[in-house]
PDB file of all heavy atoms in Angstrom:
ATOM      1  N   GLU P1171      28.522 -24.551 -14.881  1.00  0.00           N
ATOM      2  CA  GLU P1171      28.346 -25.874 -14.276  1.00  0.00           C
ATOM      3  C   GLU P1171      26.884 -26.133 -13.937  1.00  0.00           C
ATOM      4  O   GLU P1171      26.415 -27.271 -14.025  1.00  0.00           O
ATOM      5  CB  GLU P1171      29.197 -25.988 -13.009  1.00  0.00           C
ATOM      6  CG  GLU P1171      30.683 -26.134 -13.268  1.00  0.00           C
ATOM      7  CD  GLU P1171      31.507 -26.208 -11.995  1.00  0.00           C
ATOM      8  OE1 GLU P1171      31.024 -25.703 -10.944  1.00  0.00           O
ATOM      9  OE2 GLU P1171      32.622 -26.745 -12.039  1.00  0.00           O
ATOM     10  N   VAL P1198      36.255 -19.593 -17.799  1.00  0.00           N
ATOM     11  CA  VAL P1198      35.606 -20.856 -17.410  1.00  0.00           C
ATOM     12  C   VAL P1198      36.507 -22.063 -17.611  1.00  0.00           C
ATOM     13  O   VAL P1198      36.247 -23.134 -17.050  1.00  0.00           O
ATOM     14  CB  VAL P1198      34.271 -21.061 -18.151  1.00  0.00           C
ATOM     15  CG1 VAL P1198      33.314 -19.920 -17.872  1.00  0.00           C
ATOM     16  CG2 VAL P1198      34.466 -21.258 -19.643  1.00  0.00           C
ATOM     17  N   LEU P1199      37.577 -21.926 -18.386  1.00  0.00           N
ATOM     18  CA  LEU P1199      38.489 -23.049 -18.594  1.00  0.00           C
ATOM     19  C   LEU P1199      39.493 -23.089 -17.437  1.00  0.00           C
ATOM     20  O   LEU P1199      40.425 -22.302 -17.378  1.00  0.00           O
ATOM     21  CB  LEU P1199      39.218 -22.897 -19.934  1.00  0.00           C
ATOM     22  CG  LEU P1199      39.858 -24.156 -20.519  1.00  0.00           C
ATOM     23  CD1 LEU P1199      40.092 -24.001 -22.010  1.00  0.00           C
ATOM     24  CD2 LEU P1199      41.176 -24.495 -19.824  1.00  0.00           C
ATOM     25  N   LEU P1200      39.253 -24.009 -16.527  1.00  0.00           N
ATOM     26  CA  LEU P1200      40.096 -24.140 -15.337  1.00  0.00           C
ATOM     27  C   LEU P1200      40.604 -25.576 -15.249  1.00  0.00           C
ATOM     28  O   LEU P1200      39.826 -26.512 -15.030  1.00  0.00           O
ATOM     29  CB  LEU P1200      39.312 -23.776 -14.077  1.00  0.00           C
ATOM     30  CG  LEU P1200      40.075 -23.881 -12.747  1.00  0.00           C
ATOM     31  CD1 LEU P1200      41.284 -22.951 -12.743  1.00  0.00           C
ATOM     32  CD2 LEU P1200      39.154 -23.564 -11.576  1.00  0.00           C
ATOM     33  N   MET P1201      41.893 -25.752 -15.443  1.00  0.00           N
ATOM     34  CA  MET P1201      42.494 -27.075 -15.399  1.00  0.00           C
ATOM     35  C   MET P1201      42.232 -27.744 -14.050  1.00  0.00           C
ATOM     36  O   MET P1201      42.387 -27.130 -13.002  1.00  0.00           O
ATOM     37  CB  MET P1201      44.002 -26.985 -15.640  1.00  0.00           C
ATOM     38  CG  MET P1201      44.365 -26.582 -17.056  1.00  0.00           C
ATOM     39  SD  MET P1201      43.817 -27.831 -18.258  1.00  0.00           S
ATOM     40  CE  MET P1201      44.296 -27.029 -19.789  1.00  0.00           C
ATOM     41  N   GLY P1202      41.811 -28.990 -14.118  1.00  0.00           N
ATOM     42  CA  GLY P1202      41.545 -29.741 -12.904  1.00  0.00           C
ATOM     43  C   GLY P1202      40.132 -29.609 -12.391  1.00  0.00           C
ATOM     44  O   GLY P1202      39.722 -30.338 -11.479  1.00  0.00           O
ATOM     45  N   ARG P1203      39.356 -28.676 -12.983  1.00  0.00           N
ATOM     46  CA  ARG P1203      37.957 -28.527 -12.574  1.00  0.00           C
ATOM     47  C   ARG P1203      37.030 -28.636 -13.778  1.00  0.00           C
ATOM     48  O   ARG P1203      36.233 -29.571 -13.853  1.00  0.00           O
ATOM     49  CB  ARG P1203      37.738 -27.210 -11.841  1.00  0.00           C
ATOM     50  CG  ARG P1203      36.265 -26.996 -11.462  1.00  0.00           C
ATOM     51  CD  ARG P1203      36.056 -25.987 -10.395  1.00  0.00           C
ATOM     52  NE  ARG P1203      34.636 -25.758 -10.137  1.00  0.00           N
ATOM     53  CZ  ARG P1203      34.171 -25.076  -9.110  1.00  0.00           C
ATOM     54  NH1 ARG P1203      35.002 -24.551  -8.216  1.00  0.00           N
ATOM     55  NH2 ARG P1203      32.861 -24.902  -8.943  1.00  0.00           N
ATOM     56  N   THR P1204      37.110 -27.703 -14.703  1.00  0.00           N
ATOM     57  CA  THR P1204      36.268 -27.785 -15.897  1.00  0.00           C
ATOM     58  C   THR P1204      37.008 -28.421 -17.064  1.00  0.00           C
ATOM     59  O   THR P1204      36.381 -28.839 -18.040  1.00  0.00           O
ATOM     60  CB  THR P1204      35.783 -26.388 -16.326  1.00  0.00           C
ATOM     61  OG1 THR P1204      36.920 -25.565 -16.633  1.00  0.00           O
ATOM     62  CG2 THR P1204      34.951 -25.732 -15.238  1.00  0.00           C
ATOM     63  N   ALA P1205      38.316 -28.468 -16.996  1.00  0.00           N
ATOM     64  CA  ALA P1205      39.135 -29.028 -18.068  1.00  0.00           C
ATOM     65  C   ALA P1205      40.074 -30.099 -17.530  1.00  0.00           C
ATOM     66  O   ALA P1205      40.647 -29.936 -16.444  1.00  0.00           O
ATOM     67  CB  ALA P1205      39.952 -27.931 -18.746  1.00  0.00           C
ATOM     68  N   MET P1206      40.214 -31.168 -18.310  1.00  0.00           N
ATOM     69  CA  MET P1206      41.127 -32.253 -17.943  1.00  0.00           C
ATOM     70  C   MET P1206      40.832 -32.775 -16.541  1.00  0.00           C
ATOM     71  O   MET P1206      41.736 -33.026 -15.744  1.00  0.00           O
ATOM     72  CB  MET P1206      42.584 -31.780 -18.031  1.00  0.00           C
ATOM     73  CG  MET P1206      42.949 -31.180 -19.369  1.00  0.00           C
ATOM     74  SD  MET P1206      42.602 -32.310 -20.748  1.00  0.00           S
ATOM     75  CE  MET P1206      43.124 -31.302 -22.147  1.00  0.00           C
ATOM     76  N   ALA P1207      39.548 -32.942 -16.231  1.00  0.00           N
ATOM     77  CA  ALA P1207      39.138 -33.448 -14.924  1.00  0.00           C
ATOM     78  C   ALA P1207      38.095 -34.539 -15.112  1.00  0.00           C
ATOM     79  O   ALA P1207      37.082 -34.322 -15.779  1.00  0.00           O
ATOM     80  CB  ALA P1207      38.578 -32.322 -14.053  1.00  0.00           C
ATOM     81  N   GLU P1208      38.336 -35.701 -14.538  1.00  0.00           N
ATOM     82  CA  GLU P1208      37.409 -36.823 -14.693  1.00  0.00           C
ATOM     83  C   GLU P1208      36.032 -36.512 -14.126  1.00  0.00           C
ATOM     84  O   GLU P1208      35.020 -37.000 -14.620  1.00  0.00           O
ATOM     85  CB  GLU P1208      37.984 -38.074 -14.022  1.00  0.00           C
ATOM     86  CG  GLU P1208      39.115 -38.724 -14.786  1.00  0.00           C
ATOM     87  CD  GLU P1208      38.680 -39.201 -16.166  1.00  0.00           C
ATOM     88  OE1 GLU P1208      37.575 -39.748 -16.288  1.00  0.00           O
ATOM     89  OE2 GLU P1208      39.453 -39.003 -17.128  1.00  0.00           O
ATOM     90  N   ASP P1209      35.985 -35.702 -13.065  1.00  0.00           N
ATOM     91  CA  ASP P1209      34.710 -35.392 -12.421  1.00  0.00           C
ATOM     92  C   ASP P1209      34.149 -34.038 -12.843  1.00  0.00           C
ATOM     93  O   ASP P1209      33.315 -33.458 -12.152  1.00  0.00           O
ATOM     94  CB  ASP P1209      34.857 -35.435 -10.901  1.00  0.00           C
ATOM     95  CG  ASP P1209      35.907 -34.453 -10.378  1.00  0.00           C
ATOM     96  OD1 ASP P1209      36.663 -33.892 -11.203  1.00  0.00           O
ATOM     97  OD2 ASP P1209      35.970 -34.250  -9.148  1.00  0.00           O
ATOM     98  N   SER P1210      34.584 -33.527 -13.992  1.00  0.00           N
ATOM     99  CA  SER P1210      34.092 -32.237 -14.467  1.00  0.00           C
ATOM    100  C   SER P1210      32.581 -32.273 -14.663  1.00  0.00           C
ATOM    101  O   SER P1210      32.036 -33.203 -15.259  1.00  0.00           O
ATOM    102  CB  SER P1210      34.762 -31.868 -15.795  1.00  0.00           C
ATOM    103  OG  SER P1210      34.120 -30.753 -16.384  1.00  0.00           O
ATOM    104  N   LYS P1211      31.909 -31.244 -14.174  1.00  0.00           N
ATOM    105  CA  LYS P1211      30.459 -31.139 -14.334  1.00  0.00           C
ATOM    106  C   LYS P1211      30.067 -30.718 -15.744  1.00  0.00           C
ATOM    107  O   LYS P1211      28.883 -30.709 -16.084  1.00  0.00           O
ATOM    108  CB  LYS P1211      29.895 -30.145 -13.313  1.00  0.00           C
ATOM    109  CG  LYS P1211      30.042 -30.593 -11.871  1.00  0.00           C
ATOM    110  CD  LYS P1211      29.469 -29.566 -10.911  1.00  0.00           C
ATOM    111  CE  LYS P1211      29.646 -30.018  -9.462  1.00  0.00           C
ATOM    112  NZ  LYS P1211      29.115 -29.013  -8.499  1.00  0.00           N
ATOM    113  N   LEU P1212      31.048 -30.363 -16.560  1.00  0.00           N
ATOM    114  CA  LEU P1212      30.755 -29.945 -17.925  1.00  0.00           C
ATOM    115  C   LEU P1212      30.753 -31.119 -18.903  1.00  0.00           C
ATOM    116  O   LEU P1212      30.243 -30.995 -20.011  1.00  0.00           O
ATOM    117  CB  LEU P1212      31.782 -28.909 -18.391  1.00  0.00           C
ATOM    118  CG  LEU P1212      31.475 -27.439 -18.093  1.00  0.00           C
ATOM    119  CD1 LEU P1212      31.321 -27.200 -16.607  1.00  0.00           C
ATOM    120  CD2 LEU P1212      32.568 -26.548 -18.665  1.00  0.00           C
ATOM    121  N   VAL P1246      38.493 -26.065 -27.928  1.00  0.00           N
ATOM    122  CA  VAL P1246      38.245 -25.625 -26.549  1.00  0.00           C
ATOM    123  C   VAL P1246      37.009 -26.292 -25.945  1.00  0.00           C
ATOM    124  O   VAL P1246      37.083 -26.902 -24.871  1.00  0.00           O
ATOM    125  CB  VAL P1246      38.098 -24.094 -26.491  1.00  0.00           C
ATOM    126  CG1 VAL P1246      37.682 -23.656 -25.093  1.00  0.00           C
ATOM    127  CG2 VAL P1246      39.405 -23.421 -26.867  1.00  0.00           C
ATOM    128  N   ASP P1249      37.065 -30.633 -27.232  1.00  0.00           N
ATOM    129  CA  ASP P1249      38.231 -31.444 -26.891  1.00  0.00           C
ATOM    130  C   ASP P1249      38.790 -31.153 -25.507  1.00  0.00           C
ATOM    131  O   ASP P1249      39.359 -32.048 -24.872  1.00  0.00           O
ATOM    132  CB  ASP P1249      39.336 -31.238 -27.935  1.00  0.00           C
ATOM    133  CG  ASP P1249      38.888 -31.626 -29.341  1.00  0.00           C
ATOM    134  OD1 ASP P1249      37.888 -32.353 -29.457  1.00  0.00           O
ATOM    135  OD2 ASP P1249      39.537 -31.190 -30.302  1.00  0.00           O
ATOM    136  N   THR P1250      38.664 -29.919 -25.026  1.00  0.00           N
ATOM    137  CA  THR P1250      39.238 -29.553 -23.729  1.00  0.00           C
ATOM    138  C   THR P1250      38.205 -29.569 -22.607  1.00  0.00           C
ATOM    139  O   THR P1250      38.460 -30.119 -21.534  1.00  0.00           O
ATOM    140  CB  THR P1250      39.907 -28.168 -23.801  1.00  0.00           C
ATOM    141  OG1 THR P1250      40.865 -28.171 -24.870  1.00  0.00           O
ATOM    142  CG2 THR P1250      40.623 -27.833 -22.496  1.00  0.00           C
ATOM    143  N   LEU P1251      37.031 -28.985 -22.847  1.00  0.00           N
ATOM    144  CA  LEU P1251      35.988 -28.951 -21.817  1.00  0.00           C
ATOM    145  C   LEU P1251      35.057 -30.156 -21.881  1.00  0.00           C
ATOM    146  O   LEU P1251      34.193 -30.319 -21.014  1.00  0.00           O
ATOM    147  CB  LEU P1251      35.183 -27.660 -21.926  1.00  0.00           C
ATOM    148  CG  LEU P1251      35.963 -26.361 -21.667  1.00  0.00           C
ATOM    149  CD1 LEU P1251      35.056 -25.146 -21.841  1.00  0.00           C
ATOM    150  CD2 LEU P1251      36.592 -26.360 -20.287  1.00  0.00           C
ATOM    151  N   ALA P1252      35.200 -30.991 -22.922  1.00  0.00           N
ATOM    152  CA  ALA P1252      34.423 -32.231 -23.073  1.00  0.00           C
ATOM    153  C   ALA P1252      32.922 -31.984 -23.183  1.00  0.00           C
ATOM    154  O   ALA P1252      32.113 -32.821 -22.787  1.00  0.00           O
ATOM    155  CB  ALA P1252      34.722 -33.189 -21.914  1.00  0.00           C
TER     156      ALA P1252
END
Side-chain angles (χ1 to χ4, degrees):
E1171 286 178 336
V1198 301
L1199 199 160
L1200 180 60
M1201 291 296 177
R1203 177 161 176 169
T1204 61
M1206 306 305 180
E1208 286 299 319
D1209 59 349
S1210 169
K1211 295 180 181 179
L1212 272 59
V1246 173
D1249 300 342
T1250 305
L1251 296 179

